[in-house]
Amino acid sequence: LNERRKRMSRWYFGGIASCGAACCTHPLDLLKVHLQTQQEVKMRMVGMAMHVVKNDGVLALYNGLSASLCRQMSYSLTRFAIYETVRDMMGSGGQGPMPFYQKVLLGAFGGFTGGFIGTPADMVNVRMQNDMKLPAEQRRNYKHALDGLFRVWREEGTRKLFSGATMASSRGALVTVGQLACYDQAKQLVLGTGLMGDNILTHFLSSFIAGGCATFLCQPLDVIKTRLMNSKGEYRGVIHCLTETAKLGPLAFYKGLVPAGIRLIPHTVLTFVFLEQLKKYFGIRVLS
């Protein structure tokens, strides 16, 4: 009796894997926010890193880590749970893997929902990371993510917690299509060549491709989202922010593409490598 035992992901694995990846890539995320919010380009990636370390010490690169983890546990947990649960349910009928367009739709739905649920944590995340660039009297000084969430709710009202929800949800949808749907598809294609087995190299290659797709898909939105969340009221709304950014030329939407890629690609790779390992060692056993 030697049936192949396949392991299925548990619903919360995506959240855990994303937190693991976030711990590794948090400094890159912090630098990306700094780079996107400077008005004139004064510094590049490495210069910015040196600047932060010189002024505030190495641990300053981990400013706002609690908000980042809080965001992964709300946003990533939701999108992975929706995507993987539905995909595994539909795949268990034995009709083979889902067609790509269905993965895209499912990814978009999961990401949109996750993006909405993760908005408050995301806003606190951006604010905490950007805090140290402000002059001392303008700083918000949140102690940690929950303190930040509570203070925004108390000082600015519930609606403010969801400011930028449209952007965050749309970005969530695009990232999830880029990451999950493209990862699944890339992995299917790589395994389909028969040259590589279902191993860490395959996971690495597929997630690298997925990270690239995700970065390219959501960079324009990311730029707008960061500008909106950080604004002190200079934009009337999404459209106004779009037109103001567009005046700077089409490349303004891809400002910080390299730092975004340097952050999102390793984050995607780490997330999926962790996820596949979690699945392999702690997943639910199913007979295939």
Side-chain angles (χ1 to χ4, degrees):
L1 243 184
N2 200 4
E3 329 101 324
R4 243 176 64 242
R5 285 187 183 281
K6 210 170 107 213
R7 296 277 191 155
M8 254 164 54
S9 191
R10 294 175 193 272
W11 63 271
Y12 51 85
F13 278 1
I16 299 175
S18 301
C19 280
C23 288
C24 304
T25 59
H26 188 76
L28 296 170
D29 195 21
L30 180 106
L31 295 172
K32 184 203 68 159
V33 171
H34 281 352
L35 288 167
Q36 275 181 347
T37 51
Q38 54 180 357
Q39 283 306 313
E40 314 78 58
V41 180
K42 296 194 194 79
M43 288 188 231
R44 296 259 176 249
M45 194 92 184
V46 181
M48 188 63 96
M50 310 271 277
H51 172 74
V52 171
V53 172
K54 199 173 74 206
N55 287 0
D56 304 278
V58 177
L59 284 178
L61 289 171
Y62 279 95
N63 272 9
L65 180 66
S66 65
S68 194
L69 295 180
C70 184
R71 177 170 171 263
Q72 296 302 345
M73 286 312 278
S74 49
Y75 156 70
S76 283
L77 190 102
T78 310
R79 66 199 185 110
F80 271 95
I82 291 175
Y83 183 85
E84 299 222 298
T85 310
V86 176
R87 183 197 62 195
D88 292 343
M89 268 167 45
M90 291 182 69
S92 62
Q95 70 273 50
M98 286 165 72
F100 186 57
Y101 78 93
Q102 284 184 3
K103 290 179 192 161
V104 169
L105 292 173
L106 179 58
F109 173 71
F112 192 84
T113 315
F116 182 75
I117 292 175
T119 303
D122 192 21
M123 188 177 76
V124 172
N125 190 17
V126 170
R127 284 182 168 191
M128 281 173 75
Q129 286 175 358
N130 206 48
D131 222 21
M132 57 190 190
K133 278 171 59 190
L134 299 172
E137 66 279 2
Q138 284 178 23
R139 293 190 179 185
R140 297 190 174 99
N141 291 326
Y142 299 146
K143 288 196 277 292
H144 47 75
L146 297 176
D147 176 54
L149 287 169
F150 182 70
R151 276 183 47 197
V152 173
W153 174 73
R154 203 183 58 209
E155 293 161 23
E156 304 171 62
T158 309
R159 280 195 58 183
K160 185 67 184 175
L161 275 176
F162 286 95
S163 89
T166 341
M167 298 302 299
S169 302
S170 318
R171 180 184 178 274
L174 290 175
V175 171
T176 309
V177 168
Q179 285 183 331
L180 302 182
C182 293
Y183 175 76
D184 265 0
Q185 200 62 21
K187 187 172 152 189
Q188 208 176 310
L189 294 171
V190 170
L191 291 175
T193 61
L195 298 172
M196 293 161 79
D198 192 351
N199 54 25
I200 207 154
L201 197 63
T202 301
H203 304 157
F204 179 81
L205 188 65
S206 312
S207 54
F208 194 86
I209 297 169
C213 296
T215 309
F216 186 75
L217 274 175
C218 70
Q219 189 55 19
L221 263 180
D222 217 16
V223 171
I224 303 271
K225 187 195 76 157
T226 305
R227 292 188 144 200
L228 274 175
M229 281 186 170
N230 221 14
S231 74
K232 294 252 193 292
E234 60 264 41
Y235 303 118
R236 287 191 297 279
V238 176
I239 306 297
H240 184 218
C241 185
L242 260 173
T243 47
E244 287 298 303
T245 310
K247 284 178 190 165
L248 305 171
L251 285 179
F253 290 110
Y254 280 96
K255 187 176 163 188
L257 182 67
V258 174
I262 291 175
R263 177 193 142 261
L264 193 59
I265 294 173
H267 185 85
T268 309
V269 170
L270 288 164
T271 302
F272 283 113
V273 167
F274 288 155
L275 184 66
E276 295 280 4
Q277 295 305 309
L278 279 169
K279 203 149 83 176
K280 186 172 162 187
Y281 293 106
F282 305 103
I284 306 164
R285 281 207 176 91
V286 272
L287 298 178
S288 62

